[in-house]
Amino acid sequence: MPNATPHPLQGRHGARHHPSPRLPSPFPGRHLTRSLTTALLALALTPLLTAPATATPSSDAVNLAANPTATGTFATSATFTTPATFAAPGTFAASGAFGASAPSVASSTSPSSSTLARAAIPAALSASGSSASSITSTAISAADPLAPAGSFTSAASVASPHLPAADASALGRGTAQAAMAGRVVIVGVPGLEWSDLDEARTPNLWRLVAQGASASLSTRAVPPPDRGITCPTAGWLTVSAGQRAGTAGKGCPETPQPEPTPQGGATVPGWSALAAHQAETGYNAQLGTLGQLVTDGGGKVAAVGPGAALAAADKSGNIAKYAPTPAALGDPAPYHLIVLEAADLADAWAEQPLDEYGVPASLTPAARQEATKRADQQIGALLGRLPTDTTVLVAGVSDVTPNAHLHVAIATGPSPDGPPYPHGFLTATSTRQDGLVAITDLTATAIDVLGLPAQRAVVGRPWRPGGGAPATPSGTVAELADEDLASQVLREVRGPFFAVFVTIQLLFYAFAALALRRRRATGRTAAEPGDRATYGSSVPPANKADVRVADDSDARTSRTEGDTAPAARTAGDTDSTAARAAGDTDSPVVRAGSDTNSAAARAGSDADTVARAGDGVDASTGDPEGGGRPQASTSKLLVSVQIVAVVSGAIAVSTFLAQLVPWWSLPVPMVSVIVTILAIAGLITAAAFAGPWRADVLGPLTVVSAVTSVALLLDVMTGSKLQVNAVSGYEPVTGGRFYGFSNIAFAIYATGTVLGLAGVAQWLLRRGLPRVVVVVLCGLYGGFAVFADGWPSWGADFGGVPAFVIGLAVFLILLSGKRVSLLRLLLVGLAGVALVGALSVFDWLRPDSERTHLGTFVQQVIDGEAWTVVGRKFGAMIGVTVGNWSLTLLSLVALAFLFLVLARPSRWGASALGQAYRLAPTLRAGLFGALTCAFVGFLMNDSGIAIPAMALTVAVPLTLAACVRALQLSKPTPAAPRSERAEPRRAEA
């Protein structure tokens, strides 16, 4: 797993305290059989363990979530990134609670009965209906001999051994308390960015960077209407819940001022309304999760500042100790969790004038620097009084700008694994990226450092030491500030870039259509008025030498050549036959036809003979024997079309490879990104035309497709670095997805893979390899490509695997010369579902802290929430398809160009696509495999029309390049004079 670190389930302090109260992993490698058995039992008992749940639809088509409505059920949430920002399914999480007692089960002590006891507890809990657990640590140890002595485990974690996390609601005030394992201070500075840090102006923060680990923080919560930012109140509520939270109304409301209590604590006014509003956000954040968990575990909680009170409050909105300033807190040593708000930036921002959305304007640089300096002084006032073994977590918990940014994340002191955070980058399994963490990870880190049981309501993962950072604080700050700069530039250029990209694509299709279909006014100067010319016809021309293509002896068996009767046909008849040959495969039952028989396969081997198209051409006019029709092989216009088509097909992968160059730091970023992408596409195009393969019909197509497939494959195998902040990838500021294949990247990757295999298959067949060997070789690489797409540690793509399997199967079936029937498609679809199901179950069997959304979906099935997620994904797909008119238009125009231009007669005679199929039969299999994959991906992913749109931007230009080469390799021949009308038969006379 790229950028992942071990996640031991034992405590972090070794011999200093008892082991962590969390249970050891119930699925070690030596108990695989037991694990699978437990999984099957859990699936079988799903109807008994869950109650019906409903969900409130999210108002944002970008996000998919399921909301619980009844105690005793597990509530799930899932976040997907909108295709409008070209990001893919993102984070999934689940929350749930069982509150009951099971004394009869707790009496079981034999290891063999442990699993049965675990499985029986949920049923007993459901039957009892009690609200608070009375299970003591002794009873839990009796039920599970694997639990360490003296440890505390919630009822939910015992009830379901494959779900080690417990819900905070299971930790009632009457439950057994475990001693806190450590001490945590959360320092929240709303709006703090890496560019704010300075050695002279912020010495305390600078020292923390030198001592500990750092990262950029994605603070995405529930944004206000019409603005994609995180308000300070929403950021603090997200820390409280460990799940995205928000506030009602437009703009950023003022943080509520806590109401003091006589005991030195405080109550958050309006807490009930804040908690109730979360059910309307689509995430159903459980406010008070962090504070309640620490309090129920026997810890003491203190909050300094109004925002800190929101994060530290329990589920009733109460804080045991509240202080308005660090000085008023007194001695911090007695507290296990202290939350400090340094609100100087947020306070200064709130004084700015509001825009039409109720969001304040940006601070001036001078005001921002002064506010940051005051915030650093507050932090220093508290840090100097903390015990040495305190874990300090600094986070810029929200935005204080009209646009979203990446913010500061710093961790010092003991880490969840025990040793102190070293100088370097932070990471988390939620992002799998060095130097990048999420705001929900902050809550999970505090819980883990304190030795408390992980909460399923908390969707984040603990901060862990990641890769090495620059040796000096200045280097670390500069590198992380550069990441935020990249995200800001990406936000500014992404929309204009795709607008330019779509416009150029549409103009190019129009230009290519004119180039292929336009007929010259002098087209009949040397021909008889009634004559037509056929393209590559097997009919010998009247009174002319036989100038048929080299494989015309086999063409009598080829459907693409149509009827070979001696009677001459008009060009329209010939072209209609060719067009039907190109379009017949759209029917439910697809024939490979002549494209897969041995005679057609030999067509590619004779391409060199066909290339001698200059024979019999009038040197003065470029016309074949003065026939009045221009020669394709001598057309400079066609050469230009082919080169531009190859460049266009290479643009998609170049948007990712452009991340190898820091284009965002160059002058005029919009121009820089376009120039960088075009330069990389130009290099790929140069490679496509550099070698002897340029003369082959599928040569350039194969090179570009292979680069596309291999580049993205290597990227996901090494941490998905190229997709972060790429114009076709995902942006950390949005926080929808941080690793694996996004929907857009999947569409490009799958299309490149299938088309690349088609080109390789043609090359292998030409060299005489048996067809079955070629099919097997293509299947091996294709299978590995599918595996990489779905493997949780690499692509982690749930919806892409079935689509990829079906598209690859269509390609392999056509390549083998067989028919693609509905039955075969159904069987292949079931195989794809089985494959992604197996990968998901494997991911589900891993520890909860290491799961991806594949394993989480299995839990959603168990919890009865799967149909809610599927329904919301379908709704998002429809909404994006209808709303994103530019990509919908691009898809329709690309398909029209493919089947109404390339598959119909060209200015040189028969259809260009038909000629490409004849000279390179595997192109048909590859093209229909890629289109099938794109269509199924469109149906199975929430990105909707974005998937076929990006797939077509690769497939159609490269197919056009192959068609142009086919026209250049084939030679038009004038047809025989129009035959006289036949004499009427005797029966007709």
Side-chain angles (χ1 to χ4, degrees), residues 83-110:
T85 57
F86 299 93
T91 350
F92 289 76
S95 66
F98 287 115
S101 60
S104 61
V105 179
S107 61
S108 175
T109 58
S110 65

Side-chain angles (χ1 to χ4, degrees), residues 435-664:
L436 180 61
V437 293
I439 187 173
T440 52
D441 299 332
L442 177 61
T443 311
T445 306
I447 291 173
D448 204 9
V449 170
L450 291 172
L452 295 169
Q455 302 299 291
R456 294 189 58 204
V458 177
V459 301
R461 298 292 183 264
W463 293 354
R464 307 277 179 181
T472 62
S474 59
T476 302
V477 170
E479 185 169 337
L480 294 173
D482 188 64
E483 291 296 322
D484 181 50
L485 174 63
S487 67
Q488 296 307 302
V489 174
L490 175 64
R491 178 183 55 81
E492 295 175 358
V493 306
R494 169 170 279 169
F497 172 82
F498 275 100
V500 171
F501 179 68
V502 170
T503 302
I504 292 178
Q505 285 263 314
L506 296 176
L507 293 176
F508 174 63
Y509 288 146
F511 168 74
L514 291 176
L516 291 173
R517 300 295 303 280
R518 183 175 61 86
R519 297 180 180 274
R520 294 184 177 179
T522 59
R524 298 182 182 276
T525 55
E528 294 297 329
D531 289 351
R532 302 288 182 95
T534 60
Y535 193 89
S537 173
S538 59
V539 181
N543 304 320
K544 299 290 183 181
D546 188 356
V547 291
R548 294 174 296 169
V549 294
D551 64 333
D552 278 345
S553 60
D554 295 324
R556 283 188 291 270
T557 63
S558 174
R559 289 181 177 86
T560 59
E561 290 301 297
D563 190 6
T564 56
R569 296 169 303 158
T570 64
D573 293 337
T574 305
D575 299 338
S576 298
T577 304
R580 287 194 300 271
D584 282 346
T585 53
D586 289 334
S587 60
V589 179
V590 183
R591 287 185 178 272
S594 60
D595 289 341
T596 54
N597 60 33
S598 59
R602 288 195 301 271
S605 65
D606 296 330
D608 294 335
T609 304
V610 178
R612 297 177 301 187
D615 297 339
V617 176
D618 190 324
S620 62
T621 64
D623 294 344
E625 300 290 350
R629 190 179 299 278
Q631 180 69 19
S633 61
T634 62
S635 172
K636 294 182 180 180
L637 183 61
L638 275 187
V639 173
S640 301
V641 169
Q642 184 185 26
I643 294 175
V644 175
V646 175
V647 172
S648 181
I651 290 292
V653 70
S654 299
T655 61
F656 298 107
L657 295 175
Q659 296 306 103
L660 298 173
V661 180
W663 55 265
W664 52 87

